[in-house]
Amino acid sequence: MSNVNEGQPREQWGSKLGFILAAAGSAVGLGNLWKFPYIAGKNGGGAFVLIYFIILFLVGFTLMLAEITLGRATQLNAIGAYRKIRKSWAWVGSLGVVAAFLILSFYSVIGGWVINYTMKSFTGALHVTDGQALGMMFEKLITGTTEPILFHGLFMLATLLIVLGGVGGGIEKSNKIFMPGLFVIIIILAIRSMTLPGASEGIKYLLVPDFSKVTIGVVLDALGQVFFSLSLGMGCMITYGSYLGKDSNIPQSSIIIPLIDTGVAILAGLAVLPAVFAFGFDPSSGPGLIFVTFPAVFAKMPLGSIFEVMFFLLVLFAALSSSISMLEVIVAYVVDEWKINRKIATLLTSLIIFLLGIPATLSFGPWSHITILPGRGFFDTFDFIASNVLLPLGGFLLCIFVGWIWGTEKAIKEVRNNGKISFQWAGIWSFLVKYVGPVAILIVMVRSFL
């Protein structure tokens, strides 16, 4: 099918800053707030952070540039981009669209919990020092029937309304609020957390290098965290790149976006870990850190209720900035390929994702006994298929496609825009995308199965 926008100018970002904030918003998600601080601390603190930065350049920058360039060159959605260059490769783009569908269906469930807790933080219902009571409160929410579905629907509605506004009026505008807001809140929380009595242990846990803990497992943890943290392999950056003009500096953006994502992750670590250590809580409690541990921390902190509201607004901003990019991957595909206008495409796809998310919502409560894959309910099955199969496979094939099928010479020519944009790293990037990227992602894929 031809592009719906043939003969019409494609929507574009209003500014370079708008694109960078939107792309960084896509990368910054819930994983930055709970997973990075814990994984970094567990794997040698500052030593892990150093390894993470090396992999961020070798793999993160490489794939980011490849995705954005492919999108900008074709001015099409994830599937259309592959098809325009090599028809037989269109199915690779569909891996990203299906992954976005699956991830958003369960990510929206967590987003619903975040809205619920944001509302509770305003009413003071979370101001409880007893971790056990908070654990029961969280369990009551996620094992319910009506309430989780209602909040899952509210989160999808918020995502839908933003995407409905289009690239400039919806996605760009919202990220110009979300991202600065996120940075202001996270910096205030980090300062508050680091100035608590006993906070130094948490700072040490995150930042002081312990090279004795560095093993091949630590390197693989860093590799996996870089890949998943940047939303690579899903077509988000292909889609966002397709709204760029030819004068945009892709190499510069491809460095800035991963650095913003990592900056948020490190700031999150400085906001979370010193406070967790100061009050004697366990930093390894995963997602429970957000919904159980941290409310207990705030309840023990002077002016804690104010910081609690700020924290849950921060989590909500991070969740929404990611969810809108996932929905946009799907909407762009429907608009380009099915020739449906944006409004109908957004409403239709959002409804399907909401309905798909209902089994995921109920898999902690009434449907917890139903398993799809061995030992996995709907929620965990969607997560496993998207995270362990579709995303790594999509990332691996992206490297093969850009490196060997389209060819790095053509990709570099697109980046340089007739010599108007400087790309001094072109030779190194070409080597990385052809050889280092595929091997690194193959390792992520094999390890995620093992």
Side-chain angles (χ1 to χ4, degrees), residues 83-395:
R83 185 195 291 116
K84 188 171 182 178
I85 290 166
R86 184 68 60 87
K87 215 172 192 173
S88 58
W89 276 69
W91 67 275
V92 177
S94 67
L95 295 176
V97 175
V98 174
F101 248 113
L102 285 180
I103 293 172
L104 191 48
S105 69
F106 70 80
Y107 195 87
S108 176
V109 173
I110 306 170
W113 303 344
V114 174
I115 291 179
N116 181 283
Y117 267 63
T118 305
M119 288 163 69
K120 281 178 178 161
S121 71
F122 276 100
T123 63
L126 297 178
H127 218 58
V128 181
T129 54
D130 181 5
Q132 202 173 353
L134 285 162
M136 285 167 67
M137 187 191 294
F138 181 54
E139 196 173 327
K140 188 186 170 193
L141 169 67
I142 69 170
T143 57
T145 305
T146 313
E147 198 178 23
I149 292 173
L150 174 69
F151 282 98
H152 157 55
L154 271 176
F155 186 83
M156 269 315 299
L157 181 64
T159 305
L160 175 160
L161 290 172
I162 294 166
V163 174
L164 213 53
V167 176
I171 299 170
E172 184 170 349
K173 204 175 271 183
S174 63
N175 275 293
K176 281 184 174 175
I177 298 166
F178 291 157
M179 294 309 289
L182 189 145
F183 265 104
V184 168
I185 293 170
I186 207 167
I187 288 165
I188 292 169
L189 287 172
I191 292 167
R192 170 68 279 205
S193 183
M194 289 189 292
T195 52
L196 289 166
S200 59
E201 282 306 306
I203 299 169
K204 263 194 260 181
Y205 182 78
L206 179 68
L207 295 179
V208 173
D210 180 358
F211 290 102
S212 69
K213 283 190 181 176
V214 175
T215 61
I216 188 66
V218 170
V219 176
L220 294 177
D221 272 355
L223 179 59
Q225 182 66 14
V226 165
F227 180 76
F228 293 117
S229 181
L230 292 174
S231 303
L232 298 167
M234 202 193 305
C236 287
M237 296 304 157
I238 294 176
T239 307
Y240 276 13
S242 75
Y243 303 125
L244 281 174
K246 292 288 178 189
D247 57 343
S248 52
N249 190 324
I250 298 175
Q252 194 181 69
S253 299
S254 301
I255 290 172
I256 293 170
I257 295 158
L259 286 178
I260 291 175
D261 179 68
T262 306
V264 170
I266 291 170
L267 280 170
L270 293 173
V272 169
L273 294 174
V276 168
F277 274 83
F279 293 107
F281 287 97
D282 178 12
S284 66
S285 48
L289 193 69
I290 288 176
F291 298 106
V292 179
T293 308
F294 237 56
V297 167
F298 288 122
K300 293 185 175 184
M301 195 186 284
L303 300 175
S305 51
I306 295 168
F307 292 109
E308 188 171 71
V309 169
M310 292 174 77
F311 175 74
F312 280 104
L313 281 173
L314 161 74
V315 178
L316 185 58
F317 286 173
L320 277 170
S321 65
S322 287
S323 68
I324 57 180
S325 69
M326 287 184 257
L327 183 56
E328 182 59 26
V329 169
I330 304 157
V331 169
Y333 159 69
V334 174
V335 168
D336 285 352
E337 306 293 325
W338 294 9
K339 301 186 178 182
I340 294 175
N341 78 39
R342 171 174 277 272
K343 197 172 280 185
I344 294 167
T346 308
L347 292 167
L348 186 68
T349 53
S350 299
L351 178 63
I352 295 167
I353 292 161
F354 169 70
L355 295 173
L356 189 64
I358 290 175
T361 313
L362 299 175
S363 65
F364 296 97
W367 291 4
S368 57
H369 61 287
I370 301 172
T371 55
I372 310 301
L373 292 178
R376 289 183 169 92
F378 285 101
F379 187 102
D380 292 335
T381 297
F382 293 167
D383 186 10
F384 181 83
I385 292 169
S387 303
N388 296 48
V389 183
L390 298 175
L391 291 188
L393 189 58

Side-chain angles (χ1 to χ4, degrees), residues 367-448:
W367 291 4
S368 57
H369 61 287
I370 301 172
T371 55
I372 310 301
L373 292 178
R376 289 183 169 92
F378 285 101
F379 187 102
D380 292 335
T381 297
F382 293 167
D383 186 10
F384 181 83
I385 292 169
S387 303
N388 296 48
V389 183
L390 298 175
L391 291 188
L393 189 58
F396 173 77
L397 292 169
L398 169 80
C399 289
I400 301 299
F401 185 78
V402 173
W404 301 96
I405 307 298
W406 184 25
T408 52
E409 281 182 19
K410 287 177 185 168
I412 290 164
K413 192 179 172 188
E414 171 65 32
V415 170
R416 284 185 165 147
N417 188 24
N418 298 320
K420 291 173 191 167
I421 303 291
S422 167
F423 186 21
Q424 294 163 329
W425 300 86
I428 296 170
W429 175 77
S430 180
F431 175 79
L432 291 172
V433 82
K434 280 181 172 179
Y435 304 102
V436 178
V439 172
I441 296 162
L442 208 54
I443 292 166
V444 169
M445 200 191 300
V446 171
R447 189 166 189 250
S448 66

